């Protein structure tokens, strides 16, 4: 460390007071310092040259020269002869050389010291910044660790959701999907709808909410609004601020390469609409789509011996099992269902022809059963209230008359 003094006045006071003290002592005790073999004024020059650099060197040299000239005047020496006296010139040159050498050394050393000092301060600042960065990183890691441990989406929870959706029956997959959105994403007033081929009508699969907000059938405009954005992006889509009507969230379920079903949510925790939550939501929906597709293929494969040969009409024992499942869903989710019977004993068309005609006016989720003894068709309409069953029957009879040329 070097001595630093930023106030110039103090420097002048130090040098002037010191030379005056030397002069007082010299005059009081008649020391004749200038005539000594080793001139004490050289140490004065060295002191302030090393202390203040070139500035101190020049000022101390000037003050010692003035002191020396004053001493010569007091002795009565002619100053003009001083310029021709080799001893005096040697004194001048020696003192100047000492002042210049010491001043240059002090200045260079001081600059070097200041450079190292500045570098040290930079290193200290960098170390402080590194300490702060490391501290923030540790805090961030601790916070992230806490969030991971407290997160809804731990690996075990995701695995649990995946297992719940991995069912062998499509209705069970849909039921568990509704339950997952209710528990994990804190959704309320939600329902799962089937998308018809025109993308303008949604038919109810399963509902958890009010009938007024989640009706049996929804008519939508797939060309604009939230549904248009959903069909285009095939991702969960949130209602915009300028869209005053419609659900808060619509989420597609894709299988067979297209959007087959739509999950409609009217109420959901706002914190569940962040980007991370939406990505997890899409992951769950994609998984549900693959499970529904797998379950559907497995269902038809497993029930092949329960179908009337050449058709997808169930025999009565299997049909009654389907009805029993709807009874359970009605008790658990208050999901309506209806059954309709239509006799076909007077129709001379084959069952395959009858089914081809009827399927054109039915939903994919509707189930047909056939009583071979009574020659009666039984229809199971999931999600359809009883008051709508009679209109379904009238529509089916009309379509069969128009396209089959027969009355049922």
């Amino acid at each position: 460390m070097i001595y630093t003094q930023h106030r110039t006045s103090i420097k002048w006071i130090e040098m002037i007071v010191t030379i005056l003290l030397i002069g007082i002592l010299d005059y009081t005790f008649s020391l004749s310092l200038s005539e000594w073999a080793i001139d004490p004024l050289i140490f004065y020059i060295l002191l302030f040259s090393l202390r203040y650099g070139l500035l101190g060197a020049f000022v101390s040299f000037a003050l010692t020269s003035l002191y020396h000239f004053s001493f010569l005047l007091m002795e009565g020496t002619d100053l003009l002869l001083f310029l021709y006296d080799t001893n005096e010139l040697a004194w001048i040159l020696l003192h100047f050389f000492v002042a210049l050498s010491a001043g240059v050394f002090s200045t260079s050393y001081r600059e070097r010291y200041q450079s190292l000092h500045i570098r040290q301060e930079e290193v200290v600042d960098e170390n402080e910044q590194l300490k702060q960065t490391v501290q923030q990183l540790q805090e961030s890691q601790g916070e992230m660790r806490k969030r991971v441990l407290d997160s809804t989406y731990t690996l075990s929870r995701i695995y649990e959701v995946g297992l719940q959706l991995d069912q062998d029956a499509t209705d069970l997959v849909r039921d568990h999907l509704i339950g997952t959105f209710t528990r994990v994403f804190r959704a309320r007033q939600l329902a799962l709808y089937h998308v018809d081929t025109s993308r303008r009508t949604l038919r109810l699969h399963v509902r958890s909410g009010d009938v007024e907000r989640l009706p049996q059938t929804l008519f939508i405009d797939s060309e604009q609004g939230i549904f248009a954005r959903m069909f285009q992006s095939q991702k969960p889509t949130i209602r915009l601020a300028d869209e005053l009507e419609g659900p808060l969230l619509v989420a597609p379920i894709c299988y067979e390469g297209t959007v087959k079903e739509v999950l409609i949510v009217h109420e959901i925790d706002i914190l569940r609409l962040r980007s991370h939550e939406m990505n997890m939501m899409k992951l769950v929906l994609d998984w549900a789509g693959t499970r529904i597709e797998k379950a559907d293929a497995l269902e038809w494969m497993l029930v092949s011996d329960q179908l009337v040969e050449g058709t997808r009409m169930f025999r009565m024992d299997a049909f009654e099992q389907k009805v029993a499942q709807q009874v359970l869903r009605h008790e658990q989710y208050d999901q309506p269902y209806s059954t309709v019977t239509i006799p076909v004993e007077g129709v001379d068309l084959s069952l395959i022809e009858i089914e081809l005609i009827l399927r054109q006016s039915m939903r994919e989720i509707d189930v047909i059963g056939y009583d071979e003894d009574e020659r009666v068709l039984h229809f199971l309409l999931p999600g359809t209230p009883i008051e709508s069953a009679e209109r379904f029957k009238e529509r089916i009879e009309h379509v069969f008359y128009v396209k089959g040329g027969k009355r049922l």
Side-chain angles (χ1 to χ4, degrees):
M1 183 173 180
I2 62 173
Y3 176 80
T4 55
Q5 178 59 257
H6 300 291
R7 292 183 293 179
T8 306
S9 59
I10 299 297
K11 298 178 183 179
W12 284 96
I13 291 173
E14 287 181 355
M15 288 186 283
I16 293 173
V17 170
T18 304
I19 197 68
L20 288 176
L21 287 175
I22 293 173
I24 292 171
L25 292 174
D26 188 12
Y27 177 77
T28 302
F29 298 101
S30 301
L31 299 176
S32 301
L33 296 177
S34 298
E35 297 179 356
W36 289 13
I38 300 178
D39 190 352
L41 296 178
I42 290 179
F43 296 102
Y44 172 83
I45 293 174
L46 284 172
L47 173 64
F48 289 103
S49 297
L50 295 175
R51 190 177 179 88
Y52 298 126
L54 283 174
L55 176 62
F58 292 139
V59 173
S60 61
F61 171 73
L63 290 176
T64 54
S65 298
L66 182 62
Y67 176 85
H68 187 64
F69 294 157
S70 300
F71 177 78
L72 292 177
L73 287 174
M74 291 175 62
E75 289 184 345
T77 305
D78 188 357
L79 292 180
L80 293 177
L81 296 176
F82 171 78
L83 299 175
Y84 300 100
D85 189 343
T86 55
N87 292 329
E88 297 297 337
L89 288 175
W91 187 94
I92 294 287
L93 293 175
L94 175 63
H95 285 64
F96 180 77
F97 177 76
V98 170
L100 182 63
S101 301
V104 169
F105 172 78
S106 176
T107 300
S108 62
Y109 181 80
R110 185 182 300 273
E111 290 177 350
R112 210 166 121 206
Y113 174 82
Q114 290 177 347
S115 176
L116 292 175
H117 184 66
I118 291 173
R119 178 57 186 159
Q120 183 198 19
E121 290 179 346
E122 291 177 352
V123 172
V124 171
D125 292 340
E126 290 176 357
N127 289 338
E128 289 297 328
Q129 291 178 359
L130 287 174
K131 289 180 181 179
Q132 293 177 1
T133 302
V134 171
Q135 183 179 1
Q136 291 176 356
L137 180 60
Q138 291 175 344
E139 292 175 357
S140 299
Q141 287 178 339
E143 186 66 23
M144 290 298 294
R145 189 180 298 110
K146 180 180 178 182
R147 289 188 179 184
V148 169
L149 293 176
D150 296 341
S151 174
T152 307
Y153 310 115
T154 58
L155 292 177
S156 59
R157 187 62 181 275
I158 294 174
Y159 180 71
E160 178 185 348
V161 171
L163 287 180
Q164 290 176 351
L165 295 177
D166 190 15
Q167 302 293 330
D168 294 335
T170 55
D171 288 340
L172 291 178
V173 177
R174 296 183 181 105
D175 292 346
H176 283 294
L177 179 62
I178 293 294
T180 297
F181 267 75
T182 302
R183 293 189 315 274
V184 178
F185 298 104
R186 300 178 186 176
R188 299 171 299 278
Q189 298 295 330
L190 68 160
L192 188 61
Y193 286 87
H194 173 76
V195 182
D196 73 346
T197 54
S198 67
R199 286 188 173 181
R200 294 187 177 278
T201 305
L202 303 180
R203 306 286 185 180
L204 183 67
H205 268 305
V206 59
R207 172 175 54 213
S208 177
D210 299 332
V211 178
E212 294 77 11
R213 303 183 72 178
L214 300 165
Q216 173 67 29
T217 303
L218 279 178
F219 299 98
I220 63 172
D221 187 354
S222 60
E223 301 298 327
Q224 59 183 0
I226 186 173
F227 288 99
R229 298 198 308 277
M230 182 271 296
F231 281 118
Q232 183 176 5
S233 65
Q234 295 191 358
K235 295 180 180 180
T237 305
I238 304 173
R239 184 180 65 201
L240 298 179
D242 57 350
E243 294 174 342
L244 302 179
E245 298 181 355
L248 176 62
L249 173 75
V250 293
I253 298 177
C254 303
Y255 51 91
E256 297 179 359
T258 185
V259 178
K260 291 291 188 178
E261 301 179 20
V262 173
L263 181 68
I264 291 180
V265 180
H266 283 280
E267 298 177 11
I268 192 170
D269 187 351
I270 191 66
L271 295 177
R272 305 296 171 175
L273 298 179
R274 295 175 296 187
S275 59
H276 175 65
E277 307 282 342
M278 298 294 283
N279 290 333
M280 292 304 304
M281 193 180 297
K282 186 178 187 306
L283 178 64
V284 171
L285 292 169
D286 289 344
W287 177 249
T290 61
R291 297 306 89 192
I292 291 175
E293 188 174 16
K294 184 201 91 168
D296 184 63
L298 182 62
E299 279 182 337
W300 287 115
M301 182 180 68
L302 293 176
V303 301
S304 58
D305 58 341
Q306 301 175 7
L307 302 176
V308 177
E309 185 177 358
T311 69
R312 285 199 169 185
M313 296 182 182
F314 287 89
R315 291 189 167 89
M316 286 309 299
D317 53 349
F319 180 80
E320 290 173 357
Q321 292 178 6
K322 293 288 185 180
V323 174
Q325 291 177 4
Q326 290 301 317
V327 172
L328 292 176
R329 296 184 73 191
H330 175 69
E331 295 175 353
Q332 183 174 2
Y333 295 103
D334 195 24
Q335 173 75 9
Y337 72 95
S338 301
T339 57
V340 175
T341 58
I342 299 179
V344 292
E345 56 183 352
V347 179
D348 56 359
L349 298 177
S350 67
L351 290 177
I352 297 177
E353 293 173 318
I354 293 175
E355 183 182 19
L356 289 175
I357 295 173
L358 297 180
R359 287 290 183 187
Q360 298 177 19
S361 300
M362 296 174 58
R363 301 175 299 174
E364 295 180 8
I365 62 174
D366 294 335
V367 180
I368 305 177
Y370 180 63
D371 187 343
E372 296 178 316
D373 297 331
E374 302 291 336
R375 288 186 59 82
V376 175
L377 291 176
H378 295 259
F379 297 88
L380 173 61
L381 311 177
T384 301
I386 297 177
E387 55 269 18
S388 301
E390 190 62 30
R391 291 198 298 270
F392 169 83
K393 182 177 181 179
E394 293 174 357
R395 186 176 73 252
I396 289 295
E397 291 176 341
H398 176 72
V399 169
F400 191 83
Y401 174 74
V402 171
K403 295 187 177 182
K406 303 286 183 179
R407 290 192 178 276
L408 295 177

